[in-house]
Amino acid sequence: MNLYTEEQIEFLKSLDFMRLGQAINREQWQSAAMTVRRLDMKAKEVGMNDFERNFTGMRQCINRREGNEAKQILAVVVNKRAKHLNAISEELEG
């Protein structure tokens, strides 16, 4: 029984998570805004709704140029992503 679709796995393995972190760290707000928008749209498209609230908060932080708050939300997103990826690898092993 597969818990994740191919599209969800592709979303979780996306390099956009790394790009978002880099843009926030470098305070490239326009790039960060475009990346979080792309991630949010893709998450909705593949049914990964547990990221929606985080991406909304991240977008607000980016619009206000609050780097520290954006980094805190990014840490939550990265942790959530890691949990999903661990579940996928356990699913593939088992």
Coordinates of all heavy atoms in Angstrom, one line a residue:
M1 N 0.8 -1.2 0.0 CA 0.0 0.0 0.0 C 0.9 1.2 0.0 O 1.7 1.5 0.9 CB -0.9 0.0 1.2 CG -1.8 1.2 1.4 SD -2.9 1.0 2.8 CE -2.6 2.5 3.6
N2 N 0.8 2.0 -1.0 CA 1.5 3.3 -1.1 C 0.8 4.4 -0.4 O -0.3 4.7 -0.8 CB 1.8 3.6 -2.6 CG 2.8 2.7 -3.2 OD1 3.5 2.0 -2.5 ND2 2.8 2.6 -4.5
L3 N 1.5 5.1 0.5 CA 1.0 6.2 1.2 C 1.1 7.5 0.4 O 0.4 8.4 0.6 CB 1.6 6.4 2.6 CG 1.4 5.2 3.5 CD1 2.2 5.4 4.8 CD2 0.0 5.0 3.8
Y4 N 2.1 7.5 -0.5 CA 2.5 8.7 -1.2 C 2.4 8.5 -2.7 O 2.8 7.4 -3.2 CB 3.9 9.2 -0.9 CG 4.0 9.6 0.5 CD1 4.4 8.8 1.5 CD2 3.8 11.0 0.9 CE1 4.6 9.2 2.9 CE2 4.0 11.4 2.2 CZ 4.4 10.5 3.2 OH 4.5 10.9 4.5
T5 N 1.9 9.5 -3.5 CA 1.9 9.4 -4.9 C 3.2 9.8 -5.4 O 4.0 10.5 -4.7 CB 0.8 10.3 -5.5 OG1 1.1 11.6 -5.2 CG2 -0.6 10.0 -4.9
E6 N 3.5 9.5 -6.7 CA 4.7 9.9 -7.4 C 4.9 11.5 -7.3 O 5.9 12.0 -7.1 CB 4.8 9.4 -8.8 CG 5.0 7.9 -8.9 CD 6.3 7.5 -8.4 OE1 7.4 8.2 -8.6 OE2 6.4 6.4 -7.7
E7 N 3.7 12.1 -7.5 CA 3.8 13.6 -7.6 C 4.1 14.2 -6.2 O 4.8 15.2 -6.1 CB 2.4 14.2 -8.0 CG 2.1 13.9 -9.5 CD 1.5 12.5 -9.7 OE1 1.1 11.8 -8.7 OE2 1.4 12.1 -10.9
Q8 N 3.6 13.6 -5.1 CA 3.9 14.0 -3.8 C 5.4 13.8 -3.5 O 6.1 14.7 -2.9 CB 3.1 13.3 -2.8 CG 1.6 13.7 -2.8 CD 0.7 12.9 -1.9 OE1 1.0 11.7 -1.7 NE2 -0.3 13.5 -1.4
I9 N 5.9 12.6 -3.9 CA 7.4 12.4 -3.7 C 8.2 13.4 -4.4 O 9.2 13.9 -3.9 CB 7.7 10.9 -4.1 CG1 7.0 9.9 -3.1 CG2 9.2 10.7 -4.1 CD1 7.0 8.5 -3.6
E10 N 7.8 13.6 -5.7 CA 8.6 14.6 -6.5 C 8.5 16.0 -5.8 O 9.5 16.7 -5.8 CB 7.9 14.7 -7.9 CG 8.6 15.6 -8.8 CD 8.0 15.6 -10.2 OE1 7.5 14.5 -10.7 OE2 7.8 16.7 -10.8
F11 N 7.4 16.4 -5.3 CA 7.3 17.7 -4.6 C 8.2 17.7 -3.4 O 8.9 18.7 -3.2 CB 5.8 17.9 -4.1 CG 5.7 19.0 -3.1 CD1 5.8 20.3 -3.4 CD2 5.4 18.6 -1.7 CE1 5.7 21.3 -2.4 CE2 5.2 19.6 -0.8 CZ 5.4 20.9 -1.1
L12 N 8.2 16.7 -2.6 CA 9.0 16.6 -1.4 C 10.5 16.6 -1.7 O 11.3 17.1 -0.9 CB 8.7 15.4 -0.5 CG 7.3 15.5 0.1 CD1 6.9 14.1 0.7 CD2 7.2 16.5 1.2
K13 N 10.9 16.1 -2.8 CA 12.3 16.1 -3.2 C 12.7 17.3 -4.0 O 13.9 17.4 -4.4 CB 12.6 14.8 -4.1 CG 12.5 13.5 -3.2 CD 12.9 12.3 -4.1 CE 12.9 11.1 -3.2 NZ 13.3 9.9 -4.0
S14 N 11.8 18.2 -4.2 CA 12.1 19.4 -5.0 C 13.2 20.3 -4.4 O 13.4 20.4 -3.2 CB 10.8 20.3 -5.0 OG 11.1 21.5 -5.5
L15 N 14.0 20.8 -5.3 CA 15.1 21.7 -4.9 C 14.6 23.1 -4.5 O 15.3 23.9 -4.0 CB 16.1 21.9 -6.1 CG 16.9 20.6 -6.4 CD1 17.9 20.9 -7.6 CD2 17.7 20.1 -5.2
D16 N 13.3 23.3 -4.7 CA 12.7 24.6 -4.3 C 12.8 24.9 -2.8 O 12.9 26.0 -2.4 CB 11.3 24.8 -4.8 CG 11.1 25.1 -6.3 OD1 12.1 25.7 -6.8 OD2 10.1 24.9 -6.9
F17 N 12.8 23.8 -2.0 CA 13.0 24.0 -0.6 C 14.3 24.6 -0.3 O 14.4 25.6 0.5 CB 12.8 22.7 0.2 CG 11.4 22.2 0.2 CD1 11.0 21.2 -0.7 CD2 10.5 22.6 1.1 CE1 9.7 20.7 -0.7 CE2 9.2 22.1 1.1 CZ 8.8 21.2 0.2
M18 N 15.4 24.1 -1.0 CA 16.7 24.7 -0.8 C 16.8 26.1 -1.3 O 17.4 27.0 -0.7 CB 17.7 23.8 -1.5 CG 19.2 24.3 -1.3 SD 20.3 23.3 -2.3 CE 19.8 23.8 -4.0
R19 N 16.2 26.3 -2.5 CA 16.2 27.7 -3.1 C 15.5 28.7 -2.2 O 16.0 29.8 -2.1 CB 15.5 27.6 -4.4 CG 16.3 26.9 -5.5 CD 15.6 27.0 -6.9 NE 16.2 26.2 -7.8 CZ 15.7 25.0 -8.3 NH1 14.5 24.6 -7.9 NH2 16.3 24.3 -9.1
L20 N 14.4 28.3 -1.5 CA 13.7 29.1 -0.6 C 14.6 29.5 0.6 O 14.7 30.7 0.9 CB 12.4 28.5 -0.1 CG 11.6 29.3 0.9 CD1 11.2 30.6 0.3 CD2 10.4 28.5 1.3
G21 N 15.3 28.6 1.1 CA 16.2 28.8 2.2 C 17.3 29.8 1.8 O 17.7 30.7 2.6
Q22 N 17.9 29.5 0.7 CA 19.0 30.4 0.2 C 18.5 31.8 0.0 O 19.2 32.8 0.3 CB 19.6 29.8 -1.1 CG 20.4 28.6 -0.9 CD 20.9 28.0 -2.2 OE1 20.3 28.2 -3.3 NE2 21.9 27.2 -2.1
A23 N 17.3 32.0 -0.6 CA 16.8 33.3 -0.9 C 16.5 34.0 0.4 O 16.8 35.2 0.5 CB 15.5 33.2 -1.7
I24 N 16.0 33.3 1.4 CA 15.7 34.0 2.7 C 17.0 34.4 3.4 O 17.2 35.5 3.9 CB 14.9 33.1 3.6 CG1 13.4 33.0 3.1 CG2 14.8 33.6 5.0 CD1 12.6 31.9 3.7
N25 N 18.0 33.5 3.4 CA 19.3 33.8 4.0 C 20.0 35.0 3.4 O 20.7 35.7 4.0 CB 20.2 32.6 4.0 CG 19.9 31.6 5.1 OD1 19.5 32.0 6.2 ND2 20.0 30.3 4.8
R26 N 19.8 35.1 2.1 CA 20.5 36.2 1.3 C 19.6 37.4 1.2 O 20.0 38.4 0.6 CB 20.8 35.7 -0.1 CG 21.9 34.6 -0.1 CD 22.1 34.1 -1.5 NE 23.0 33.0 -1.4 CZ 23.2 32.0 -2.4 NH1 22.4 32.1 -3.5 NH2 24.0 31.1 -2.3
E27 N 18.4 37.3 1.9 CA 17.5 38.4 1.8 C 17.1 38.9 0.4 O 16.9 40.0 0.1 CB 18.0 39.6 2.7 CG 18.1 39.3 4.1 CD 18.5 40.4 5.0 OE1 18.7 41.6 4.5 OE2 18.6 40.2 6.2
Q28 N 16.9 37.9 -0.4 CA 16.5 38.1 -1.8 C 14.9 37.9 -1.8 O 14.4 36.8 -2.1 CB 17.1 37.1 -2.7 CG 18.6 37.4 -2.8 CD 19.4 36.3 -3.6 OE1 18.9 35.1 -3.7 NE2 20.5 36.6 -4.2
W29 N 14.2 38.9 -1.3 CA 12.8 38.8 -1.0 C 11.9 38.4 -2.2 O 11.0 37.7 -2.1 CB 12.3 40.0 -0.3 CG 13.1 40.3 0.9 CD1 13.9 41.4 1.2 CD2 13.2 39.5 2.1 NE1 14.5 41.2 2.4 CE2 14.1 40.1 3.0 CE3 12.7 38.2 2.5 CZ2 14.4 39.5 4.2 CZ3 13.0 37.7 3.7 CH2 13.8 38.3 4.6
Q30 N 12.2 39.0 -3.4 CA 11.4 38.7 -4.5 C 11.6 37.3 -5.0 O 10.6 36.6 -5.3 CB 11.8 39.7 -5.7 CG 10.9 39.6 -6.9 CD 11.2 40.6 -7.9 OE1 12.1 41.4 -7.8 NE2 10.4 40.6 -9.0
S31 N 12.8 36.8 -4.9 CA 13.0 35.4 -5.3 C 12.4 34.5 -4.3 O 11.8 33.4 -4.6 CB 14.5 35.1 -5.3 OG 14.8 33.8 -5.5
A32 N 12.5 34.8 -3.0 CA 11.8 34.0 -1.9 C 10.3 34.0 -2.1 O 9.7 32.9 -2.0 CB 12.2 34.6 -0.6
A33 N 9.7 35.1 -2.5 CA 8.3 35.2 -2.7 C 7.8 34.3 -3.9 O 6.8 33.6 -3.8 CB 7.9 36.6 -2.9
M34 N 8.6 34.3 -4.9 CA 8.2 33.5 -6.1 C 8.4 32.0 -5.8 O 7.6 31.2 -6.2 CB 9.1 33.9 -7.3 CG 8.8 35.2 -7.9 SD 9.6 35.6 -9.5 CE 11.3 35.3 -9.1
T35 N 9.4 31.7 -5.0 CA 9.7 30.3 -4.7 C 8.6 29.8 -3.8 O 8.1 28.7 -4.0 CB 11.1 30.1 -4.1 OG1 12.1 30.7 -4.9 CG2 11.4 28.7 -3.8
V36 N 8.2 30.5 -2.7 CA 7.2 30.1 -1.8 C 5.9 30.0 -2.5 O 5.1 29.1 -2.3 CB 7.1 30.9 -0.5 CG1 6.4 32.2 -0.7 CG2 6.5 30.1 0.6
R37 N 5.6 30.8 -3.4 CA 4.4 30.8 -4.2 C 4.3 29.5 -5.1 O 3.3 28.8 -5.1 CB 4.2 32.0 -5.1 CG 2.9 32.1 -5.8 CD 2.7 33.3 -6.7 NE 3.3 34.6 -6.1 CZ 4.3 35.3 -6.6 NH1 4.8 34.9 -7.8 NH2 4.7 36.4 -6.0
R38 N 5.5 29.2 -5.7 CA 5.6 28.0 -6.5 C 5.4 26.7 -5.6 O 4.7 25.8 -6.0 CB 6.9 28.0 -7.2 CG 7.1 26.9 -8.3 CD 8.3 27.1 -9.1 NE 9.5 27.4 -8.4 CZ 10.2 28.5 -8.5 NH1 9.8 29.5 -9.3 NH2 11.3 28.7 -7.8
L39 N 6.0 26.7 -4.5 CA 5.9 25.6 -3.6 C 4.5 25.4 -3.1 O 3.9 24.3 -3.0 CB 6.8 25.7 -2.3 CG 8.3 25.4 -2.6 CD1 9.1 25.9 -1.4 CD2 8.5 23.9 -2.7
D40 N 3.8 26.5 -2.8 CA 2.4 26.5 -2.3 C 1.5 25.9 -3.3 O 0.7 25.1 -3.1 CB 2.0 27.9 -1.8 CG 0.7 27.9 -1.1 OD1 0.4 26.9 -0.4 OD2 -0.1 28.8 -1.3
M41 N 1.7 26.4 -4.6 CA 0.8 25.9 -5.6 C 1.0 24.4 -5.9 O 0.1 23.7 -6.1 CB 1.1 26.7 -6.9 CG 0.5 28.1 -6.9 SD 0.8 29.2 -8.3 CE 1.6 28.2 -9.5
K42 N 2.3 24.0 -5.9 CA 2.6 22.6 -6.1 C 2.0 21.7 -5.0 O 1.5 20.6 -5.2 CB 4.1 22.4 -6.3 CG 4.5 21.0 -6.7 CD 4.0 20.7 -8.1 CE 4.5 19.3 -8.5 NZ 3.9 18.9 -9.8
A43 N 2.1 22.2 -3.7 CA 1.6 21.5 -2.6 C 0.1 21.3 -2.7 O -0.4 20.2 -2.4 CB 2.0 22.2 -1.3
K44 N -0.6 22.3 -3.1 CA -2.0 22.2 -3.2 C -2.4 21.3 -4.4 O -3.3 20.5 -4.3 CB -2.6 23.6 -3.5 CG -2.7 24.5 -2.3 CD -3.2 25.9 -2.6 CE -3.1 26.7 -1.4 NZ -3.4 28.1 -1.7
E45 N -1.6 21.3 -5.4 CA -1.8 20.5 -6.6 C -1.7 19.0 -6.3 O -2.5 18.2 -6.8 CB -0.8 20.9 -7.7 CG -1.0 20.2 -9.0 CD 0.1 20.7 -10.0 OE1 0.2 21.9 -10.2 OE2 0.8 19.8 -10.6
V46 N -0.7 18.6 -5.5 CA -0.5 17.2 -5.2 C -1.2 16.8 -3.9 O -1.0 15.6 -3.5 CB 1.0 16.9 -5.1 CG1 1.7 17.2 -6.4 CG2 1.7 17.6 -4.0
G47 N -1.9 17.7 -3.2 CA -2.7 17.3 -2.0 C -1.9 17.3 -0.7 O -2.2 16.6 0.2
M48 N -0.8 18.0 -0.7 CA 0.0 18.1 0.6 C -0.4 19.3 1.4 O 0.3 20.3 1.5 CB 1.5 18.2 0.3 CG 2.1 17.0 -0.6 SD 2.2 15.4 0.3 CE 3.4 15.8 1.5
N49 N -1.6 19.2 1.9 CA -2.3 20.4 2.5 C -1.7 20.8 3.9 O -1.9 21.9 4.4 CB -3.8 20.1 2.7 CG -4.4 19.9 1.3 OD1 -4.1 20.6 0.4 ND2 -5.4 19.1 1.3
D50 N -0.8 19.9 4.5 CA -0.3 20.2 5.8 C 0.8 21.3 5.7 O 1.2 21.8 6.7 CB 0.3 19.0 6.5 CG 1.2 18.1 5.6 OD1 1.2 18.2 4.4 OD2 2.0 17.4 6.2
F51 N 1.2 21.7 4.5 CA 2.2 22.8 4.3 C 1.5 24.1 4.1 O 2.2 25.1 4.2 CB 3.1 22.5 3.1 CG 4.1 21.4 3.3 CD1 3.8 20.1 2.9 CD2 5.3 21.7 3.9 CE1 4.8 19.1 3.0 CE2 6.2 20.7 4.1 CZ 6.0 19.4 3.7
E52 N 0.2 24.1 3.8 CA -0.5 25.3 3.4 C -0.3 26.5 4.4 O 0.0 27.6 4.1 CB -2.0 25.0 3.2 CG -2.7 26.2 2.6 CD -4.2 25.8 2.3 OE1 -4.5 24.6 2.2 OE2 -5.0 26.7 2.1
R53 N -0.6 26.2 5.7 CA -0.5 27.2 6.7 C 0.9 27.8 6.9 O 1.1 29.0 7.0 CB -1.0 26.6 8.1 CG -1.1 27.6 9.2 CD -1.5 26.9 10.4 NE -2.6 27.7 11.0 CZ -3.1 27.3 12.2 NH1 -2.8 26.2 12.8 NH2 -4.0 28.1 12.7
N54 N 1.9 26.9 6.8 CA 3.3 27.3 6.9 C 3.7 28.3 5.7 O 4.3 29.3 5.9 CB 4.2 26.2 6.9 CG 4.0 25.2 8.1 OD1 3.6 24.1 7.9 ND2 4.2 25.7 9.3
F55 N 3.2 27.9 4.5 CA 3.6 28.7 3.3 C 2.9 30.1 3.4 O 3.4 31.1 3.0 CB 3.2 28.0 2.0 CG 4.1 26.8 1.7 CD1 3.6 25.7 1.1 CD2 5.4 26.9 2.1 CE1 4.5 24.7 0.7 CE2 6.3 25.8 1.8 CZ 5.8 24.7 1.1
T56 N 1.6 30.1 4.0 CA 0.9 31.4 4.1 C 1.7 32.3 5.1 O 1.9 33.5 4.8 CB -0.5 31.2 4.6 OG1 -1.2 30.4 3.7 CG2 -1.2 32.5 4.9
G57 N 2.1 31.7 6.2 CA 2.9 32.5 7.2 C 4.2 32.9 6.6 O 4.7 34.1 6.9
M58 N 4.9 32.1 5.9 CA 6.1 32.4 5.2 C 6.0 33.6 4.3 O 6.8 34.5 4.2 CB 6.7 31.2 4.5 CG 7.9 31.4 3.8 SD 9.4 30.9 4.6 CE 9.1 29.3 5.0
R59 N 4.9 33.5 3.5 CA 4.6 34.6 2.5 C 4.5 35.9 3.2 O 5.0 37.0 2.8 CB 3.4 34.3 1.7 CG 3.4 35.0 0.4 CD 2.3 34.5 -0.6 NE 1.2 33.7 -0.1 CZ 1.1 32.4 -0.3 NH1 2.0 31.7 -0.9 NH2 0.1 31.7 0.1
Q60 N 3.8 35.9 4.4 CA 3.6 37.2 5.2 C 4.9 37.7 5.7 O 5.2 38.9 5.6 CB 2.6 36.9 6.3 CG 1.2 36.6 5.8 CD 0.3 36.2 6.9 OE1 0.7 35.8 8.0 NE2 -1.0 36.1 6.7
C61 N 5.7 36.8 6.2 CA 7.1 37.2 6.7 C 7.9 37.8 5.6 O 8.6 38.8 5.8 CB 7.8 36.0 7.3 SG 7.1 35.4 8.8
I62 N 7.9 37.2 4.4 CA 8.6 37.6 3.3 C 8.2 39.0 2.8 O 9.0 39.9 2.6 CB 8.6 36.6 2.1 CG1 9.4 35.4 2.5 CG2 9.1 37.2 0.8 CD1 9.1 34.2 1.5
N63 N 6.8 39.2 2.8 CA 6.3 40.5 2.4 C 6.7 41.6 3.4 O 6.9 42.7 3.0 CB 4.8 40.4 2.3 CG 4.3 39.7 1.1 OD1 5.0 39.5 0.1 ND2 3.1 39.2 1.2
R64 N 6.8 41.2 4.7 CA 7.3 42.2 5.7 C 8.8 42.2 5.9 O 9.3 43.0 6.7 CB 6.6 41.9 7.0 CG 5.1 42.1 7.0 CD 4.5 42.0 8.4 NE 4.9 40.7 9.1 CZ 4.1 39.6 9.2 NH1 2.9 39.7 8.8 NH2 4.5 38.6 9.9
R65 N 9.5 41.4 5.1 CA 11.0 41.3 5.1 C 11.5 41.0 6.6 O 12.4 41.5 7.0 CB 11.6 42.5 4.6 CG 11.4 42.7 3.1 CD 11.8 44.0 2.6 NE 11.9 44.2 1.1 CZ 11.0 43.8 0.2 NH1 9.9 43.1 0.5 NH2 11.2 44.1 -1.1
E66 N 10.8 40.0 7.2 CA 11.2 39.6 8.5 C 11.9 38.3 8.4 O 11.4 37.2 8.5 CB 9.9 39.4 9.4 CG 9.2 40.7 9.7 CD 7.9 40.5 10.5 OE1 7.5 39.3 10.7 OE2 7.4 41.5 10.9
G67 N 13.2 38.4 8.2 CA 14.1 37.2 8.0 C 14.1 36.2 9.1 O 14.0 35.0 8.8
N68 N 14.1 36.6 10.3 CA 14.2 35.7 11.5 C 12.9 34.9 11.6 O 13.0 33.6 11.8 CB 14.5 36.4 12.8 CG 15.9 36.8 12.9 OD1 16.8 36.3 12.2 ND2 16.2 37.9 13.6
E69 N 11.8 35.5 11.4 CA 10.5 34.8 11.5 C 10.4 33.8 10.3 O 9.9 32.7 10.5 CB 9.3 35.7 11.5 CG 8.9 36.2 12.9 CD 7.6 36.9 12.8 OE1 6.6 36.3 12.4 OE2 7.6 38.1 13.2
A70 N 10.8 34.3 9.1 CA 10.8 33.4 7.9 C 11.7 32.2 8.1 O 11.3 31.1 7.8 CB 11.2 34.2 6.7
K71 N 12.8 32.4 8.8 CA 13.7 31.2 9.0 C 13.1 30.3 10.0 O 13.3 29.0 9.9 CB 15.1 31.7 9.5 CG 15.9 32.4 8.5 CD 17.2 33.0 9.1 CE 17.9 33.9 8.1 NZ 19.1 34.5 8.7
Q72 N 12.4 30.8 11.0 CA 11.7 29.9 12.0 C 10.6 29.0 11.3 O 10.6 27.8 11.5 CB 11.1 30.7 13.1 CG 12.1 31.3 14.0 CD 11.5 32.2 15.1 OE1 10.4 32.6 15.0 NE2 12.3 32.6 16.1
I73 N 9.9 29.7 10.4 CA 8.8 28.9 9.7 C 9.5 27.9 8.7 O 9.1 26.8 8.6 CB 7.9 29.8 8.9 CG1 7.1 30.7 10.0 CG2 6.9 29.1 8.1 CD1 6.3 31.8 9.3
L74 N 10.6 28.4 8.1 CA 11.3 27.5 7.2 C 11.8 26.2 7.9 O 11.8 25.1 7.4 CB 12.5 28.2 6.6 CG 13.4 27.4 5.6 CD1 12.6 27.0 4.4 CD2 14.6 28.2 5.2
A75 N 12.3 26.4 9.2 CA 12.7 25.3 10.0 C 11.6 24.3 10.2 O 11.8 23.1 10.1 CB 13.3 25.7 11.3
V76 N 10.4 24.8 10.4 CA 9.2 23.9 10.6 C 8.9 23.2 9.3 O 8.7 22.0 9.3 CB 8.0 24.7 11.1 CG1 6.7 23.9 11.1 CG2 8.2 25.3 12.5
V77 N 9.0 23.9 8.2 CA 8.7 23.3 6.9 C 9.7 22.2 6.6 O 9.4 21.1 6.1 CB 8.7 24.4 5.8 CG1 8.7 23.7 4.4 CG2 7.5 25.3 6.0
V78 N 11.0 22.5 6.8 CA 12.1 21.5 6.5 C 11.9 20.3 7.4 O 12.1 19.1 7.0 CB 13.4 22.2 6.7 CG1 14.5 21.1 6.7 CG2 13.7 23.2 5.6
N79 N 11.5 20.5 8.7 CA 11.3 19.4 9.6 C 10.1 18.5 9.1 O 10.2 17.3 9.1 CB 11.0 19.9 11.0 CG 11.0 18.8 12.0 OD1 11.5 17.7 11.8 ND2 10.3 19.0 13.1
K80 N 9.0 19.1 8.7 CA 7.9 18.4 8.2 C 8.2 17.6 6.9 O 7.8 16.5 6.8 CB 6.8 19.5 7.9 CG 5.4 18.9 7.8 CD 4.4 20.0 7.6 CE 4.2 20.8 8.8 NZ 3.0 21.7 8.7
R81 N 9.0 18.3 6.1 CA 9.4 17.6 4.8 C 10.3 16.4 5.1 O 10.1 15.3 4.5 CB 10.2 18.6 4.0 CG 10.8 18.1 2.7 CD 11.6 19.2 2.0 NE 12.3 18.6 0.9 CZ 13.6 18.7 0.7 NH1 14.4 19.4 1.5 NH2 14.1 18.2 -0.4
A82 N 11.2 16.5 6.1 CA 12.1 15.4 6.5 C 11.3 14.3 7.0 O 11.6 13.1 6.7 CB 13.1 15.9 7.5
K83 N 10.2 14.5 7.8 CA 9.4 13.5 8.3 C 8.7 12.7 7.2 O 8.6 11.5 7.2 CB 8.3 14.0 9.3 CG 8.9 14.4 10.6 CD 7.9 15.0 11.6 CE 8.5 15.4 12.9 NZ 7.5 16.0 13.8
H84 N 8.2 13.5 6.2 CA 7.6 12.8 5.1 C 8.6 12.0 4.3 O 8.3 10.8 3.9 CB 6.9 13.9 4.1 CG 5.6 14.4 4.6 ND1 4.5 13.7 4.7 CD2 5.3 15.7 5.0 CE1 3.5 14.4 5.1 NE2 4.0 15.7 5.3
L85 N 9.8 12.5 4.1 CA 10.8 11.8 3.3 C 11.2 10.5 4.1 O 11.5 9.5 3.4 CB 12.0 12.7 3.0 CG 11.7 13.8 2.0 CD1 12.9 14.7 1.9 CD2 11.5 13.2 0.6
N86 N 11.3 10.6 5.4 CA 11.6 9.4 6.2 C 10.5 8.4 6.1 O 10.8 7.2 6.0 CB 11.8 9.8 7.7 CG 13.2 10.5 7.9 OD1 14.1 10.4 7.1 ND2 13.2 11.2 9.0
A87 N 9.3 8.8 6.1 CA 8.2 7.9 5.9 C 8.2 7.2 4.6 O 7.9 6.0 4.4 CB 6.8 8.6 6.1
I88 N 8.6 8.0 3.5 CA 8.7 7.4 2.2 C 9.8 6.4 2.2 O 9.6 5.3 1.6 CB 9.0 8.5 1.2 CG1 7.7 9.4 1.0 CG2 9.4 7.9 -0.2 CD1 7.9 10.7 0.3
S89 N 11.0 6.7 2.7 CA 12.1 5.7 2.7 C 11.7 4.4 3.5 O 12.1 3.3 3.1 CB 13.4 6.3 3.2 OG 13.3 6.6 4.5
E90 N 11.0 4.6 4.6 CA 10.5 3.4 5.4 C 9.5 2.6 4.6 O 9.6 1.4 4.6 CB 9.9 3.9 6.7 CG 10.9 4.3 7.7 CD 10.3 4.9 9.0 OE1 9.0 4.7 9.1 OE2 11.0 5.5 9.8
E91 N 8.7 3.3 3.8 CA 7.7 2.6 3.0 C 8.4 1.8 1.9 O 8.0 0.7 1.6 CB 6.8 3.7 2.4 CG 5.7 3.1 1.5 CD 4.8 4.2 0.9 OE1 4.5 5.2 1.6 OE2 4.6 4.2 -0.3
L92 N 9.4 2.4 1.3 CA 10.2 1.7 0.2 C 10.9 0.5 0.8 O 11.1 -0.5 0.1 CB 11.1 2.7 -0.5 CG 10.4 3.8 -1.3 CD1 11.5 4.8 -1.8 CD2 9.6 3.2 -2.4
E93 N 11.5 0.6 2.0 CA 12.2 -0.5 2.6 C 11.3 -1.6 3.0 O 11.7 -2.8 2.9 CB 13.0 0.0 3.8 CG 14.2 0.9 3.5 CD 14.8 1.5 4.7 OE1 14.4 1.2 5.8 OE2 15.7 2.4 4.5
G94 N 10.1 -1.3 3.5 CA 9.2 -2.3 4.1 C 8.3 -2.9 3.2 O 8.4 -3.3 2.1

